[in-house]
Amino acid sequence: MKRVILLLFYLLFSLAILCASTVSFVVPSNIKAYSYDKAVNCSIPENRVVTINLTSSDVIYFTDSDGNEFSSKIFKTKKKAVDASFSWNINNSNLRYSLDGSEPTEISDNKVLLSNFKTNNLSIFTLEEQGNDGSWNERGRVGFLPVKEINDKKISLRVTASPYSIAIYDFIHGHNIKDAKYLTVTNYGYSIDSELGYQISKKALLYLGSGYGYQMKKETVIPYAFKVTYFKAYGGFDYKFLNKNKVTSSIGIFAGALMGINANVYSISSLLGARLRLDLIINSHLSFGLQTRFIASYSKAEDKYYSSMSYFIDPIALSVDIRF
């Protein structure tokens, strides 16, 4: 029985296929490096395709082959091509512009409208002013980078392990019985869970989970039956209340069923739990986290004095979350 359940538990891992979608764009051949999200001098790949993770407001800095650095604003769009306008104060100056190193075009108005910027491609707009000696001098350079709007990764696989877990067993109808030992706390335990989640919005996550747990009792009525093994299945909801830079925090509730095995006898009861998560986002499809979790389980017996509540506390659990 135990082997069958463990097999089903680990099968969840083998059924998950990691399909990481990426947001990328092409840069011109004269771009040698870029800086993004506090990264310094990231090299341009040989295929000229840069892949990054976008946030709500992104500025990326590029360096060309002459060592000149300029900024580029990233715009999210659902279109294949977009238009852009550039404006300035002429002040009786002779101005001209070029786009991606093309032949300069003189400016006769204080605004220029450019059409059909290709999505996921970096375009470089350069403004020049003519000096008194007739030479043209660069006065500004800016990158224009429209990218297709990102579809957030909806599916996630989370694996959580608690190296130390506490269980409290409470025979709730024995509180008023004199000298009754109605409360027991375990010496040691651990747990491991896996969850398959679906992101229904930027802040809300629905998930199904299964888990394995182990507890060692301090005392027992049955001789040598100190070890208790648990298997659980549950569904839950997490709400993200903090999302700052690469750190997120969520609070959640879940409910399901719990099967406990002690002295080769098993029992099934309901469970209700809550948890608090803190996650560090590594990239668009990977994050690591810490979690605190509390579970309450009610086991009903024919004799009410044997009905009990079991409480499981995972003070600190480590997790890895893979999104695809």
Side-chain angles (χ1 to χ4, degrees):
M1 179 67 178
K2 179 179 178 180
R3 291 183 179 180
V4 173
I5 297 175
L6 285 176
L7 178 61
L8 293 175
F9 173 71
Y10 287 112
L11 185 61
L12 179 60
F13 294 93
S14 61
L15 291 178
I17 302 175
L18 181 62
C19 304
S21 61
T22 58
V23 174
S24 59
F25 52 86
V26 180
V27 299
S29 59
N30 66 324
I31 302 299
K32 301 302 179 184
Y34 71 95
S35 174
Y36 173 76
D37 194 18
K38 299 182 180 180
V40 179
N41 295 328
C42 300
S43 300
I44 302 297
E46 292 184 2
N47 61 359
R48 316 303 303 171
V49 177
V50 173
T51 302
I52 60 174
N53 302 315
L54 296 182
T55 57
S56 59
S57 178
D58 290 300
V59 176
I60 184 169
Y61 295 90
F62 293 99
T63 303
D64 64 17
S65 55
D66 297 325
N68 299 315
E69 185 183 71
F70 62 94
S71 63
S72 178
K73 185 69 176 68
I74 300 176
F75 299 87
K76 297 178 184 179
T77 179
K78 294 182 180 180
K79 300 179 180 179
K80 294 182 178 179
V82 298
D83 301 338
S85 62
F86 298 87
S87 60
W88 45 79
N89 189 354
I90 293 181
N91 288 332
N92 298 321
S93 300
N94 294 325
L95 301 175
R96 68 181 187 182
Y97 73 91
S98 60
L99 190 64
D100 295 329
S102 61
E103 287 294 323
T105 300
E106 291 194 16
I107 297 172
S108 58
D109 199 355
N110 62 352
K111 179 180 291 187
V112 169
L113 178 64
L114 301 175
S115 300
N116 295 325
F117 281 97
K118 189 177 180 181
T119 305
N120 293 342
N121 279 259
L122 171 65
S123 297
I124 304 172
F125 182 89
T126 303
L127 181 67
E128 295 180 314
E129 181 181 17
Q130 189 175 35
N132 295 329
D133 59 356
S135 62
W136 290 93
N137 303 302
E138 184 175 320
R139 287 291 179 258
R141 183 183 303 188
V142 65
F144 186 81
L145 185 51
V147 296
K148 288 185 179 179
E149 189 174 29
I150 296 177
N151 292 322
D152 294 331
K153 296 171 179 59
K154 299 292 187 181
I155 307 299
S156 65
L157 174 65
R158 174 176 290 264
V159 179
T160 303
S162 177
Y164 179 70
S165 182
I166 304 170
I168 302 172
Y169 305 106
D170 182 8
F171 288 91
I172 54 179
H173 295 290
H175 289 199
N176 297 323
I177 301 176
K178 185 179 180 180
D179 298 327
K181 292 184 177 180
Y182 58 82
L183 198 65
T184 302
V185 180
T186 58
N187 276 325
Y188 169 76
Y190 65 84
S191 65
I192 182 169
D193 289 70
S194 63
E195 297 169 0
L196 192 61
Y198 181 76
Q199 198 78 39
I200 58 176
S201 71
K202 290 184 178 180
K203 292 188 175 183
L205 173 73
L206 293 178
Y207 56 89
L208 295 174
S210 62
Y212 167 82
Y214 165 93
Q215 295 290 339
M216 181 63 71
K217 291 182 177 181
K218 289 184 178 180
E219 54 186 350
T220 178
V221 175
I222 304 174
Y224 308 108
F226 292 94
K227 179 182 176 181
V228 186
T229 301
Y230 295 97
F231 297 93
K232 55 182 177 283
Y234 54 91
F237 171 83
D238 280 356
Y239 178 79
K240 187 182 299 180
F241 62 87
L242 174 66
N243 188 357
K244 187 174 183 181
N245 297 328
K246 290 185 174 294
V247 177
T248 67
S249 188
S250 305
I251 189 169
I253 57 173
F254 54 93
L258 179 75
M259 182 175 71
I261 303 175
N262 182 225
N264 296 321
V265 176
Y266 76 89
S267 61
I268 298 177
S269 57
S270 59
L271 70 84
L272 181 66
R275 69 185 185 185
L276 177 65
R277 287 173 36 197
L278 182 67
D279 294 293
L280 175 64
I281 299 173
I282 304 302
N283 54 44
S284 62
H285 55 85
L286 178 65
S287 64
F288 296 101
L290 298 175
Q291 176 177 293
T292 297
R293 179 172 56 185
F294 173 82
I295 297 174
S297 177
Y298 176 67
S299 179
K300 184 178 181 180
E302 292 184 5
D303 186 337
K304 73 174 185 177
Y305 289 103
Y306 288 95
S307 296
S308 65
M309 290 293 301
S310 298
Y311 306 102
F312 302 91
I313 303 171
D314 295 331
I316 294 294
L318 307 176
S319 65
V320 58
D321 189 272
I322 301 172
R323 295 177 295 278
F324 51 96

